[in-house]
Amino acid sequence: LNDDDVERLCGALADNSTVTFLSLSGNGIGAEAAKFIGHMLKSNKGITTLDLNVNNIGDDGALFLAQALRENDTLAELFLYGNQISVVGDNHLLYGLQHNSAISFLDLQYEVGLSDSAVQDNIQKRVKENLKDCLGDSCDNVSF
């Protein structure tokens, strides 16, 4: 897929509440496509699972997604491993998660040399808080 394809797809999904799962994994999309996805997520009320694994989203794309997380209350699972997201992008995502109570699963898969385990730990703590809010005390034994 190229950026124009992703822009058209996101335009169609912006007000769609029927599609709940979207996988764009392994399509080589980058930050520009992530910008379109982030914009779509701000208004989409259907997608609960978004798989963006193994792309080239990077830190700039993580920023666009983080901005969307601050406004989206539907997305529960976000898959982002293999996207060359560094500690900068991790911090963007942590910022987005601070105002999001819907994400209960976020897969970043620590990338050696790029990410910081302390930031990743903080991200996972926030995700666990969201999960606990959804499940109550029944998730006390959940580990990441």
Side-chain angles (χ1 to χ4, degrees), residues 123-134:
I123 288 171
Q124 294 307 327
K125 284 178 190 173
R126 180 63 192 144
V127 170
K128 187 174 181 182
E129 288 172 16
N130 288 352
L131 184 61
K132 191 171 192 171
D133 288 345
C134 292

Side-chain angles (χ1 to χ4, degrees), residues 92-106:
H92 292 323
L93 292 166
L94 182 57
Y95 171 77
L97 287 169
Q98 290 173 343
H99 297 279
N100 179 292
S101 60
I103 293 285
S104 58
F105 182 83
L106 175 59

